[in-house]
Amino acid sequence: MKVLGIDPGTAACGYGIVHENGGRVTSLASGCWTTSARERPELRLRVIFEGVRAVIAEHAPDAVALEESYVGADARIALFVGQARGAAMVAAATAGVECTEYAPSRVKQSICGHGRADKGQMQRMVKRLLALDEIPATSHEADALAVAICHALMPPLARMAS
């Protein structure tokens, strides 16, 4: 199974593609789309939409997994993250690829063994699980790879319940 993981955001939207075979996961690609706060919102969302569409066209994933929005103290940030999620989901839908969303705590639980892991722990575990030479370049890439790993290694029945 090949999974495209996405850590949505309008300033920085991370992506990572993993391949699972026999319970082992390998990284195929990762990166991050960035946009300027000075750009019009619709143009920022187009960058994400087109980026997701291009990655799907290049790698033909079997599934797309996104991290759910965390609603913290700033509702405006949650709104922007939700818009980025929507752009990614529409890109996947137009390509005919099914999307699944995971809460950040569930991703952390599956990667680190507990749902309150910090960014550093997540980055180190992603590096270890994928046998990477280096920690991913950005936390957004690491988070995207983590959500892809979470989906790829999720038991089928649990995946259906998500």
Side-chain angles (χ1 to χ4, degrees):
M1 170 187 282
K2 202 185 293 185
V3 180
L4 166 58
I6 298 176
D7 177 37
T10 50
C13 183
Y15 71 90
I17 307 251
V18 300
H19 182 257
E20 183 273 334
N21 188 8
R24 295 188 52 110
V25 286
T26 54
S27 174
L28 301 178
S30 66
C32 190
W33 301 291
T34 58
T35 63
S36 169
R38 287 181 235 127
E39 277 188 272
R40 293 191 336 253
E42 69 273 18
L43 298 178
R44 297 175 82 183
L45 295 173
R46 186 176 75 190
V47 167
I48 295 164
F49 175 84
E50 290 175 350
V52 171
R53 196 170 62 177
V55 168
I56 289 173
E58 181 179 349
H59 293 280
D62 301 301
V64 172
L66 296 107
E67 190 168 77
E68 287 178 354
S69 297
Y70 168 74
V71 181
D74 193 340
R76 283 177 36 102
I77 292 173
L79 177 63
F80 291 138
V81 170
Q83 290 173 338
R85 274 182 39 238
M89 292 172 88
V90 170
T94 60
V97 183
E98 193 172 307
C99 293
T100 305
E101 296 182 279
Y102 294 96
S105 60
R106 187 163 198 180
V107 175
K108 291 175 182 182
Q109 173 72 36
S110 69
I111 301 299
C112 295
H114 61 93
R116 301 187 64 122
D118 64 32
K119 288 260 187 221
Q121 288 172 303
M122 288 289 290
Q123 291 170 325
R124 289 188 299 277
M125 283 304 297
V126 165
K127 176 183 182 270
R128 174 174 259 168
L129 289 170
L130 296 174
L132 301 173
D133 293 332
E134 302 285 329
I135 287 175
T138 69
S139 64
H140 304 292
E141 286 178 55
D143 289 351
L145 288 165
V147 75
I149 294 166
C150 174
H151 184 78
L153 297 180
M154 184 74 55
L157 287 176
R159 200 177 308 141
M160 286 173 44
S162 292

